[in-house]
Amino acid sequence: MTKLNIPKKVMAALLILSFFLLVVHPSISSPPAIPFVVQFPSPSVDSNWIIDPKIKQMAKSLDGEWIPITIRFKDYLNASMVEELENLTYLKIKRNANGEPFLVNLGDIHILSCEIQGYDKLEEFTKNYRDKILYVENNFKQQLSPNIVNETQNIIQTMSFLDKEGEPQAEDIEQQQIIRWWVELTHAPEVWNLKINDVNITGQGVSIAFLDAGIDDKEFEIPGGHFYKEGFGEVILNIEGSTGIIFDTINTTYDPVPDIHPYGVNHGTACAGTAAGGEGRGVAKGANIIDIRVIDWDFSYDPMTLMYWMAWCVANRGKYNITVINFSDGTDNPIRMSQTLTEMINYIQLYCGIVVCLAVGNNANRIKSVSNPGNAEFAVTSGAANKYGLPSTITSFGPTWDGQPKPEVLSPSTSGHTSLAGPTTAGVCAMLAQTCKELNIPRDEWSLRIRAAIIRSATMNDILLPGWDPASGYGLLNAFDAFHQINDTSSWSKHVVFAKWPYTFAYPDGVYLIPLGSTLLPVYYWNVRVTVECVGQDMSPHLVWLQDFKPINSLAVVGDLQGVWIMSLGQKNSITYQVLALTPFVFFPPAVVLWL
């Protein structure tokens, strides 16, 4: 009898299939001749299998103290389960000012922020709840980088038109229409004059959510303020994210960070002003702003708070027309990198129609120094360009530690730091979101189309090595070219799909034998390879999205059910699926491919 290593997904599908057949088909008897027999290994008895190995040593060094953790559950986390956890004496659930838990149920991501008393209790907890927990990782606070804190005052001075005493300079007020270099470099003013359905493309009607250190929206509301927004765009919401308090819903003048910490609020204000400030100072001058302060009074934040408010943005995207999320901070410390945060960002980008804009990091041209969560595969990560359209001396270089091509794009930054490069890209994304809206493109497709347009337009404005390179990504951000990538559907790529279909009465690739009492049940399987070839008319990369497909009369599809690639002309990519059936034949329909 041969012992085989079967993938967990295959094993789970076979076990479910075995149970079904044992109950529904008890008359199954003598099995046919088969090439091999499958034996299932017993589950591991190691209680640490669901604990992030990066936090073990740190948790042990803090043994007996309260350790902040994020618990990721396998299934939807309901109120009764939260109440059960609340009754554990060694576990504290993080709650906001209204007493509500920091709980996220988003797609397949179900997480809760807690504190647990020591490493021993962490092990005990994972043993007792191993059937419900998928993963436990740290939630240690991350400090805002000192250079980010100190740079913000200079950013404000660069972007504002106030004199040293804080009074508006008369000549600047008269020339508010002057376009600043960082806006001009994006070619955004060329888009402002374009119209769809007789509406100018300025980002109006959509909102950018800034998860940052707070925004002093008085600077937006008061005429003559730093980023005075004339007309349509407004700061429509202020949220104290670290406590969970929503202060106002329209035209608020609340300053979430008092003057005792001016630099903290300057960072958020500068980011918002770069993306959506008034005439000449912001890229998407018509976009609305949602202010969510996740960076606390001591210039720190924890990943769970970030995830909680990202999920809030998804839940409220329709109410506030949230189309872009911007987060301009991160960490280079591997022990603090949150796997769940990265997965959530990818989920939001792929399935929720919201573009997540991130910064590549400020590691001074060091190769493979992309900050987390800027390494999220499907987010739009920006490096910083100077006024000459070249990489700044401060920006990090890609790729990620595991070889992903980051950043996607190089964006103008007033200070050379990537804190302002991300919001510049966010502003362009807001204008592209308005374009999608005016073209009646399905809402859930916006983020994929926008990311593809950003990348394709960047390749049209390549500045260093051909194609992607670690310093400039695919090239320089260009709002005008990106707009036409969205607006001109004839420029989208075309693909030829090759798959193993139709596949009727053909020999399977193998068979699993499942013991059912004294009999062995044969379950046939096919390893189906789907290949996508890019045969577009231009040399720009295209976003290819291979969606789920399920063969007819099969009982299960096991494996990686979808793939997303950036492909160039003539390139091919493939994914292998494993399909299970009780009979040695299956009908295979074509794979569904979305090309952008």
Side-chain angles (χ1 to χ4, degrees), residues 63-278:
D63 200 19
E65 299 181 26
W66 289 94
I67 305 167
I69 59 172
T70 296
I71 307 171
R72 184 170 178 181
F73 294 84
K74 296 178 181 177
D75 299 306
Y76 184 88
L77 196 56
N78 56 32
S80 61
M81 182 62 182
V82 174
E83 184 179 355
E84 180 182 334
L85 296 176
E86 189 76 76
N87 291 330
L88 298 175
T89 58
Y90 56 83
L91 195 71
K92 294 179 182 177
I93 295 178
K94 180 179 179 180
R95 294 181 178 272
N96 63 22
N98 298 321
E100 299 165 341
F102 274 68
L103 167 64
V104 171
N105 284 307
L106 179 64
D108 294 329
I109 299 173
H110 316 288
I111 51 178
L112 186 66
S113 182
C114 300
E115 286 185 292
I116 198 162
Q117 195 170 22
Y119 184 75
D120 290 343
K121 294 298 182 183
L122 180 59
E123 281 201 314
E124 178 183 334
F125 177 73
T126 55
K127 285 180 181 178
N128 293 338
Y129 287 89
R130 64 181 305 146
D131 60 327
K132 292 181 170 58
I133 298 174
L134 182 66
Y135 204 62
V136 178
E137 61 183 7
N138 79 77
N139 197 42
F140 292 102
K141 277 203 165 189
Q142 302 178 22
Q143 294 295 319
L144 194 63
S145 171
N147 64 346
I148 292 179
V149 175
N150 294 331
E151 72 164 304
T152 51
Q153 183 69 10
N154 294 329
I155 293 172
I156 292 293
Q157 291 298 325
T158 301
M159 299 183 69
S160 72
F161 52 92
L162 299 186
D163 61 20
K164 294 181 180 180
E165 282 69 41
E167 295 297 326
Q169 296 180 22
E171 59 178 357
D172 280 341
I173 291 179
E174 293 173 0
Q175 301 178 23
Q176 287 185 27
Q177 300 297 324
I178 293 177
I179 307 301
R180 301 304 173 98
W181 69 264
W182 58 89
V183 178
E184 187 174 10
L185 198 58
T186 68
H187 295 270
E190 298 171 41
V191 181
W192 296 344
N193 296 321
L194 300 176
K195 290 186 177 182
I196 301 178
N197 301 328
D198 204 31
V199 178
N200 290 90
I201 304 301
T202 61
Q204 57 184 301
V206 301
S207 298
I208 308 173
F210 291 90
L211 280 69
D212 211 284
I215 297 171
D216 184 354
D217 54 298
K218 291 179 181 178
E219 305 293 357
F220 291 91
E221 301 296 339
I222 300 173
H226 294 175
F227 312 119
Y228 173 53
K229 292 179 67 61
E230 298 180 0
F232 23 83
E234 303 290 346
V235 180
I236 61 173
L237 194 65
N238 284 117
I239 297 175
E240 282 282 336
S242 57
T243 60
I245 300 175
I246 299 177
F247 278 94
D248 200 358
T249 56
I250 185 167
N251 296 332
T252 178
T253 55
Y254 172 75
D255 181 354
V257 179
D259 292 337
I260 56 171
H261 281 310
Y263 295 135
V265 72
N266 280 353
H267 188 264
T269 306
C271 287
T274 302

Side-chain angles (χ1 to χ4, degrees), residues 96 100-104 303-312:
N96 63 22
E100 299 165 341
F102 274 68
L103 167 64
V104 171
M304 181 63 204
T305 300
L306 196 61
M307 288 185 274
Y308 179 87
W309 288 105
M310 282 187 175
W312 181 91

